[in-house]
Amino acid sequence: ALDSYLKYGYIPLEDSVWDAFHKNEQVSRTLEYAFDDYALSRFASSLGKKEDSETLLKRSADGEMFSTAKRVL
């Protein structure tokens, strides 16, 4: 699952999440990875690690999923 997330930016439906209790949780695992990347990008930024922060933020889809959810809530 992680390899697909790193390659595509999401976990395709065809990929089983082998290390999870429920093997078909591609959407929730994608959101988990993206949220982790977003949180780590903020942390890296606070440490002055600009390049790491930018890489993680880009991989998290620029936090778009989370800013959109925030507006909805």
Side-chain angles (χ1 to χ4, degrees):
L2 181 57
D3 291 337
S4 291
Y5 175 73
L6 294 173
K7 183 176 181 180
Y8 305 118
Y10 65 94
I11 302 171
L13 191 58
E14 297 80 24
D15 283 11
S16 178
V17 183
W18 64 269
D19 59 343
F21 179 75
H22 299 286
K23 305 299 181 214
N24 295 316
E25 59 178 32
Q26 295 87 342
V27 173
S28 62
R29 188 58 63 103
T30 296
L31 287 170
E32 179 184 341
Y33 288 164
F35 180 81
D36 292 346
D37 284 342
Y38 181 74
L40 287 170
S41 78
R42 303 295 84 211
F43 183 62
S45 179
S46 74
L47 295 175
K49 305 282 188 177
K50 184 177 180 183
E51 185 177 328
D52 292 336
S53 175
E54 290 172 356
T55 299
L56 289 161
L57 185 62
K58 182 178 179 186
R59 197 166 70 194
S60 76
D62 294 324
E64 177 131 353
M65 287 182 265
F66 311 110
S67 61
T68 302
K70 198 173 175 182
R71 286 192 302 266
V72 171
L73 297 175

